[in-house]
Amino acid sequence: MKNFLSATAFAVMLLMIAGCASSPATRFYVLSSIPEMPARTNERCATIGVGPIEVPHYLMRSQIVTASSENEINYAGFDQWAEPLPGNFSQVITENLSKLVCTRGAYQFPWTGHEPPDYRVRIQIIAMTGNPGEKAFIDAWWTVTDKDKKVVASTRSRYTEPVQGSDYRALVQAYSKILAALSRDIAKVIPGA
């Protein structure tokens, strides 16, 4: 009986190892900023602070979310964000704005060690859904305030972008294009754009 249990435990262990060896590799993704543009900077340019960025709770996981219906979402098994979405959103939008607006500096929230920025951009992502081979969608509420906390603009924007491929890489590229469009809309209301 003892030999049978040992042989059974050994067989189970081999099956577990074989199962792990055949699992696909996990792929990690980050959003990307717009291509480099000639820098526009001088002493009269503004400083910009981006953040905080809020996202719905269902997006606070590493797995990329897809939508199978209006009320059902799925989490990808092996396609994941390389970092939490709020931080990646903040980084990309900060980079985009630094390329689109005449700026002396662009900082992510919190901007400790820096003076308060001349303009602050806060973004609340209301929804973010998409599917490879179909479309990507982001619904966002964004507000720009000046140094005196006066609201320069407060807008809700919805963006849809076709996904030019049937994999998650294409879906992430579509989301990056949406963030570029969002950044351009924000840049339009910041003096010096």
Side-chain angles (χ1 to χ4, degrees):
M1 181 70 166
K2 190 175 185 181
N3 286 341
F4 175 75
L5 291 177
S6 295
T8 304
F10 182 73
V12 168
M13 185 176 74
L14 284 177
L15 286 172
M16 289 174 57
I17 291 171
C20 291
S22 65
S23 296
T26 301
R27 292 166 296 278
F28 296 94
Y29 301 89
V30 293
L31 298 160
S32 56
S33 62
I34 60 177
E36 288 299 321
M37 300 172 67
R40 296 185 301 147
T41 183
N42 64 50
E43 287 304 310
R44 289 176 284 168
C45 294
T47 55
I48 300 170
V50 176
I53 308 284
E54 298 174 39
V55 300
H57 188 69
Y58 70 88
L59 294 174
M60 294 298 290
R61 295 176 60 159
S62 60
Q63 294 94 344
I64 294 179
V65 174
T66 56
S68 54
S69 72
E70 183 179 340
N71 298 325
E72 183 179 354
I73 60 170
N74 299 304
Y75 292 102
F78 299 100
D79 294 277
Q80 301 182 13
W81 296 111
E83 66 176 303
L85 273 178
N88 197 196
F89 268 64
S90 181
Q91 174 197 1
V92 169
I93 291 172
T94 301
E95 286 181 35
N96 287 349
L97 292 176
S98 71
K99 297 170 185 176
L100 295 167
V101 178
C102 179
T103 178
R104 286 181 287 122
Y107 314 107
Q108 295 179 58
F109 181 85
W111 31 84
T112 53
H114 300 285
E115 289 183 30
D118 297 317
Y119 295 96
R120 179 178 181 175
V121 180
R122 295 181 69 140
I123 301 171
Q124 178 185 8
I125 302 300
I126 298 165
M128 178 176 165
T129 57
N131 286 304
E134 296 178 19
K135 65 181 180 179
F137 171 77
I138 292 181
D139 183 0
W141 187 271
W142 53 273
T143 304
V144 177
T145 54
D146 65 14
K147 201 174 217 172
D148 299 321
K149 299 183 181 178
K150 179 183 172 195
V151 174
V152 175
S154 186
T155 304
R156 183 172 181 176
S157 301
R158 294 177 176 94
Y159 304 91
T160 302
E161 181 71 30
V163 178
Q164 303 294 326
S166 59
D167 58 9
Y168 284 92
R169 179 179 303 171
L171 178 61
V172 171
Q173 289 171 344
Y175 284 135
S176 295
K177 288 179 182 177
I178 289 174
L179 290 189
L182 172 60
S183 299
R184 286 184 184 95
D185 287 344
I186 292 169
K188 289 175 189 171
V189 303
I190 298 174

